[in-house]
Amino acid sequence: MTTIGKGTPSYTFTRTTGLVRWFREPQDVIESLETDLESTIALVASGGTTFLSPILGRLGGIVCLDGTLRSHLAIVSREFEVPCLVGTDLTQDLTDGTEIVLDIVDGAGVVRAGAEPAESAPAADVSAAWWAYVRRVGDEIAVKDFDVTVSQQALDALIAEELTDDRLDDLVQHMGRAFKPEMTRRSGFTSELFPMLPYMSLSVIEDFHSYAERVAIIDAAMPAEEIGRRLREGPNRVSPLWIWMIGYHYLCGRECLIQMGKLRRDERREEIRTVVDFWRRLTLAHRGDGTLDYKDAGFTNRYLPQDVVDELAGAATLLDPDASKALKRLNATISGYSFLYFCDSRVGICDSGPYPQGSRRTIVRDYLSLGPSAWAYPWAQDLEPPYAGLTLALTFDPASFREFEINDWGTTFTEPDQLLASVTEAAVFGFHADGGRERLSPERWPDVAASITSSHMTLYQRFAAMNREERIFAATRMYTSGLRPFAALAGVTDKVDWDFSPDTLALYPDPFDDDTQAATIFGTALVANDMPGSFSPVR
C-alpha cells in the first residue's frame, strides 16, 4: 500500500479504511442523506464543517485539503470522533470509489492507497516489484509512481542483490529515461566566467576514466551502503546531489565518448557495473525508502530522520518583516557565493524535504563547503568564512503554492515562484569544520552575510585572474573531486589517485577548448539522440 498523502490528524484515531467520495457542493451532501456513510471517507477541498454538517457524524472519515488543528472541522470531527486529516497534501488525484486508509505514523497523518501488503512481504516479492518499477517507462518527463512498499529488511535485501547484466542494463536505461527530460527542462549552460560546456564535458569524461578505480578503493574500505546510512544521520554532511552525480556523471562521460567514436557501448562493462552498483547501494541506503531519485518520490527527498527535522524546525524564529528581509539577504548572499565557489554550478546547495510539521512543511536547505573542505579545492585553501557550512530550516504553509517540486539537482521550484516570500518561520545553523553546529539568531544573519561577502570578493578576484584554460581545469577539478567526501568518510583519501587521467588530458585543447564543439558533443550525446533516454544500453 502506497502513501499518497500526508496531513494533520484532528485527534489520535485508529487506522480507518473506507471508500473515497468527493463532496464539492451542497447537492452532493443532499444526495447522500439516505446513504449508509459508515465506510465513506469524505474528500473536501476546504472548510467543510457547515458544508458537511448534515452527515458529518455518520462519515467513516474525512480528508480535507485545507485547514489546521484550530479549524472548525478539526474541532467538530474530534467531538464526533470521526477520523479526520486537515491540511492534507495529496500526491495523486483520487476518484470516487477508491479505497484508502487513514492512519497516524509518528504523530503525522497519512493517506494510503493500493493493495494492502502482507505483514512482511517476502524479499523476493519486493525485489520483483522493485525491478518492475525500474523497467517502467513513466510519463512524458519519466515520472512514475513508486508503488513498492519496502521494509528495512527488504531494503537490505535489495542492496545485497547481485547486479546481473540484465539488471545493470535495466538500471542504466531507467537512469537515462530519468535524466533526458531533466536536461531539456533545465536552464542553458552559460557563464561569463567559466566555459561551461568544455569543463562539463571534460569532467564527466574524466569521471568515466577514473571512477571505477576510485570507487573500488572506497567501497573496499567502507561499503557504499554503510556510507549512505551514516550520511543520513543529519544535515550538512553531504548533498544528495553528490550521490546522484556518481552514477549520472559517470554515464554522461561514457555517452560522450560513445558519441565521439572513442568507446563502444559494450566495452568496459565490469567497470560500469562497479560504478553503477556503488551508486545504487549508496542511493538506496541514503534515501531509505526504496526510491532512487527525487522524481520517483513525487519530487521529494525526505532522507533526514523526522526527529532531526523536528529539532531543526523547533529552533525556528517567527519572521517579522525585518527578519524576513535579513533571511532573504543571507540566502541570496550565500547562494551567490556557493555558485562561484563551485564554478557556476549548483552542487553546493541542496534542498531536502518537504518534511511534514503538522499542517505545515519544512525545507532543509544545506550550503556545503564554504571554505577549505574535503573537496580540497586549491582556490579555497586559505578562505576564512565564518562557518564551514550553513543549514536553513524553512517552514511554510503548503497552501501558498499551486505547484511544488524539488528536482534531482536538489533545487526547489514553486508556483508562485518565491519560496522565501511564503516562509513564516526559519532557523539558521552554522557548522564548524569539526562538525559542531550553533544556531544563529536573526540578529547575527547580517554579520554572517557580510563576512561571506568578504570571502566572495577574495574568491572572485582569484578566478578573475585566471586565464581560460586555468578556469576550465579549475571547474573540471571541481566536478571530478566528487568522490572526495566519500573517500574521506571511508578514510582512504590518501589511497586514491586524484590526478587527471592522461586519456582525458589528451582531449584538450582539441576538441574541448572549443565551446561549439563541446556543446555539439555533449548535447548530441545526451539530448539530441534517437534513444528513449540519455544512456546507451551496455550490451
Side-chain angles (χ1 to χ4, degrees):
M1 183 161 284
T2 305
T3 297
I4 61 167
K6 294 188 178 181
T8 302
S10 62
Y11 70 100
T12 303
F13 54 79
T14 58
R15 179 183 294 188
T16 300
T17 301
L19 302 180
V20 167
R21 182 167 176 177
W22 266 100
F23 290 86
R24 294 183 171 89
E25 56 186 6
Q27 188 61 34
D28 296 333
V29 175
I30 293 170
E31 291 175 356
S32 71
L33 290 176
E34 304 301 322
T35 305
D36 181 0
L37 298 174
E38 288 186 4
S39 62
T40 296
I41 295 180
L43 184 56
V44 293
S46 63
T49 308
T50 305
F51 174 46
L52 293 176
S53 59
I55 60 171
L56 199 151
R58 297 164 46 210
L59 290 166
I62 304 170
V63 173
C64 183
L65 305 185
D66 199 357
T68 69
L69 283 178
R70 294 178 180 241
S71 300
H72 293 171
L73 180 60
I75 295 169
V76 176
S77 67
R78 285 196 294 272
E79 297 300 317
F80 277 110
E81 295 187 352
V82 174
C84 176
L85 299 183
V86 293
T88 307
D89 181 19
L90 295 174
T91 61
Q92 67 182 56
D93 294 334
L94 288 174
T95 56
D96 286 358
T98 302
E99 183 176 76
I100 62 172
V101 172
L102 307 186
D103 201 358
I104 299 176
V105 179
D106 296 330
V110 297
V111 183
R112 298 192 181 99
E116 184 74 49
E119 193 65 29
S120 181
D125 292 347
V126 173
S127 174
W130 192 86
W131 285 103
Y133 137 76
V134 166
R135 290 189 291 271
R136 198 180 314 141
V137 173
D139 64 16
E140 68 276 4
I141 61 168
V143 174
K144 51 190 181 184
D145 291 336
F146 184 73
D147 54 1
V148 187
T149 301
V150 182
S151 66
Q152 185 59 54
Q153 181 181 9
L155 183 65
D156 292 342
L158 276 175
I159 290 171
E161 284 184 342
E162 177 187 2
L163 193 60
T164 63
D165 284 351
D166 286 343
R167 288 173 172 172
L168 174 61
D169 215 13
D170 287 340
L171 202 50
V172 168
Q173 291 306 293
H174 162 84
M175 296 166 73
R177 290 190 300 269
F179 186 71
K180 190 173 184 177
E182 290 307 302
M183 290 293 287
T184 64
R185 294 206 304 162
R186 66 160 291 164
S187 58
F189 300 103
T190 58
S191 169
E192 295 299 322
L193 199 57
F194 297 97
M196 292 191 72
L197 268 303
Y199 89 67
M200 290 177 63
S201 301
L202 281 171
S203 66
V204 296
I205 288 171
E206 170 62 14
D207 287 351
F208 184 79
H209 286 146
S210 65
Y211 263 30
E213 180 180 344
R214 293 175 183 176
V215 157
I217 294 171
I218 296 169
D219 204 26
M222 183 179 290
E225 54 269 35
E226 178 60 22
I227 294 174
R229 293 182 189 113
R230 293 194 185 190
L231 290 175
R232 63 176 289 141
E233 294 173 357
N236 222 279
R237 302 190 178 194
V238 73
S239 165
L241 178 52
W242 286 97
I243 297 175
W244 178 90
M245 287 165 55
I246 292 172
Y248 282 86
H249 276 203
Y250 175 83
L251 291 177
C252 285
R254 170 179 176 256
E255 209 57 44
C256 288
L257 290 170
I258 292 173
Q259 170 66 25
M260 297 169 69
K262 295 184 177 295
L263 185 74
R264 297 192 317 272
R265 73 182 195 182
D266 60 346
E267 288 186 280
R268 301 172 75 160
R269 187 184 305 163
E270 290 310 309
E271 293 183 13
I272 297 169
R273 192 191 322 274
T274 295
V275 176
V276 172
D277 191 45
F278 181 87
W279 166 80
R280 176 186 71 95
R281 290 181 285 121
L282 177 60
T283 298
L284 285 172
H286 188 255
R287 294 186 66 93
D289 60 0
T291 61
L292 290 167
D293 48 49
Y294 282 76
K295 182 183 292 183
D296 284 349
F299 289 102
T300 67
N301 185 347
R302 300 185 178 103
Y303 77 90
L304 288 172
Q306 189 63 45
D307 61 330
V308 172
V309 178
D310 290 344
E311 181 184 356
L312 297 174
T317 298
L318 189 64
L319 299 177
D320 60 23
D322 288 341
S324 180
K325 182 178 179 180
L327 177 69
K328 293 174 183 177
R329 182 57 181 263
L330 176 64
N331 182 75
T333 300
I334 313 168
S335 179
Y337 175 77
S338 183
F339 269 93
L340 179 65
Y341 184 105
F342 288 96
C343 304
D344 227 336
S345 80
R346 68 179 83 183
V347 297
I349 311 167
C350 196
D351 290 352
S352 68
Y355 301 94
Q357 291 291 310
S359 63
R360 304 175 67 73
R361 302 289 183 272
T362 294
I363 289 288
V364 176
R365 174 168 294 172
D366 282 334
Y367 287 97
L368 299 116
S369 186
L370 304 178
S373 69
W375 278 291
Y377 295 146
W379 55 87
Q381 285 179 356
D382 60 350
L383 290 174
E384 296 181 346
Y387 296 99
L390 288 168
T391 290
L392 282 57
L394 308 171
T395 300
F396 57 93
D397 182 351
S400 302
F401 304 106
R402 294 187 296 274
E403 297 180 16
F404 194 103
E405 72 170 59
I406 311 177
N407 70 5
D408 287 330
W409 279 275
T411 303
T412 298
F413 291 95
T414 66
E415 181 60 43
D417 60 4
Q418 292 294 322
L419 172 64
L420 290 189
S422 296
V423 170
T424 55
E425 299 174 55
V428 177
F429 298 88
F431 284 78
H432 300 285
D434 63 3
R437 78 176 188 220
E438 59 177 302
R439 177 184 172 274
L440 307 178
S441 66
E443 292 75 21
R444 297 180 60 189
W445 297 349
D447 291 338
V448 175
S451 183
I452 292 291
T453 297
S454 177
S455 293
H456 190 146
M457 291 310 301
T458 299
L459 193 56
Y460 190 89
Q461 290 168 350
R462 289 176 183 172
F463 283 129
M466 295 181 182
N467 61 34
R468 175 183 170 88
E469 180 177 337
E470 289 170 335
R471 292 178 193 172
I472 287 175
F473 278 97
T476 302
R477 175 72 64 193
M478 177 274 301
Y479 264 149
T480 57
S481 298
L483 289 174
R484 277 185 173 269
F486 307 100
L489 182 59
V492 291
T493 300
D494 59 348
K495 296 182 180 179
V496 177
D497 180 2
W498 300 106
D499 291 334
F500 290 129
S501 162
D503 292 334
T504 303
L505 295 175
L507 300 175
Y508 188 88
D510 184 23
F512 288 121
D513 187 39
D514 185 277
D515 295 87
T516 301
Q517 288 192 71
T520 299
I521 293 168
F522 193 87
T524 303
L526 299 170
V527 180
N529 58 47
D530 58 1
M531 299 184 296
S534 289
F535 305 139
S536 297
V538 296
R539 292 187 290 180

